[in-house]
Structures are given as structure tokens and as C-alpha cells.
Amino acid sequence: VQLQASGGGLVQTGESLTLSCAASGTFANLNAWTWHRQRPGREREWVASITRTNISTYADSVKGRAAVSRDTAKNTAYLLMNNLKLDDTAVYYCNVDALVARGGRWGNSVYWGQGTQVTVSS
């Protein structure tokens, strides 16, 4: 399973941005999608998740400003970030829990995308 993250860029404070993460490859289904970010000088942190049944959860730092969604037909997840702040500057990573065939059996594995840079300026 390969994940391609996109949508990052340079934005100003208060603006919005939508990140996308598209999965390709061989898998039976995609379960939960998760977004993480790594801000400069900090550890990677969880941002938001969405389950296969579209239940979404958010970190306190983005709650009320973020919306995670998924398009099952396109094998893609999205993270909409509104009212961006300087502190949202980070590399954003997506991952997905995929059901894949391994050695003749089905099993779940988590796959990560390469990250997309979001830079917020004043």
C-alpha cells in the first residue's frame, strides 16, 4: 500500500487548507485513517482520525478548526484545516490501517505517507 499526501503549501494566518492522502496498491479495505504532524523542534503528534464508519476525533489543538473526511470510492482521506495559526506550521503525515494479504492470510498493517509541508505565515 502506498500513500500519497498532497495539498500542503504556504498560507497566511486565518486561511484554510485541505490536505489529501490517496492510497494505492493492493488491499482488501481501508480502516481508520489518521493524520499526524511534526512541528519544528517537536515530536510527531496525532492530529485527527476517522474510522471506517466515519467517526472522527481530533486533538485539542485543532478541535473546532479541523475536519477529517474520507472518500471510500477514491481510497482517499482529507484533512481540512480552517483558521490556520502560525503554530500549525508542520509536516503533516497521513497513515491508514489497511487489510492486506500476507503469506496467504489477511492481516492489518499501518502504512504511512511521505508527509506534506504546511507553512503558515503572518
Side-chain angles (χ1 to χ4, degrees), residues 25 30-31 43 56 59 91 93 102 108:
L30 301 175
N31 297 313
E43 302 271 324
S56 55
V91 178
Y93 298 90
R102 293 182 299 195
N108 289 90

Side-chain angles (χ1 to χ4, degrees), residues 33 42 55 59 62 68 71 81 102:
W33 288 89
R42 303 190 194 185
I55 296 172
V62 302
V68 59
D71 185 329
M81 295 282 292
R102 293 182 299 195

Side-chain angles (χ1 to χ4, degrees), residues 11-13 86 120-122:
V11 296
Q12 294 189 320
T13 54
L86 294 175
V120 184
S121 66
S122 58

Side-chain angles (χ1 to χ4, degrees), residues 31-112:
N31 297 313
W33 288 89
T34 300
W35 288 92
H36 288 75
R37 67 183 180 186
Q38 187 160 16
R39 296 185 273 188
R42 303 190 194 185
E43 302 271 324
R44 189 176 297 192
E45 61 182 349
W46 169 73
V47 175
S49 297
I50 185 165
T51 68
R52 192 177 178 191
T53 56
N54 289 320
I55 296 172
S56 55
T57 50
Y58 301 93
D60 288 343
S61 59
V62 302
K63 196 173 293 182
R65 301 188 296 120
V68 59
S69 59
R70 61 190 294 166
D71 185 329
T72 301
K74 295 182 178 179
N75 297 321
T76 300
Y78 304 93
L79 179 67
L80 167 63
M81 295 282 292
N82 294 314
N83 190 22
L84 283 159
K85 304 177 181 180
L86 294 175
D87 205 32
D88 292 319
T89 294
V91 178
Y92 285 74
Y93 298 90
C94 57
N95 75 42
V96 69
D97 177 2
L99 184 64
V100 298
R102 293 182 299 195
R105 295 186 174 184
W106 292 103
N108 289 90
S109 291
V110 175
Y111 298 87
W112 286 81

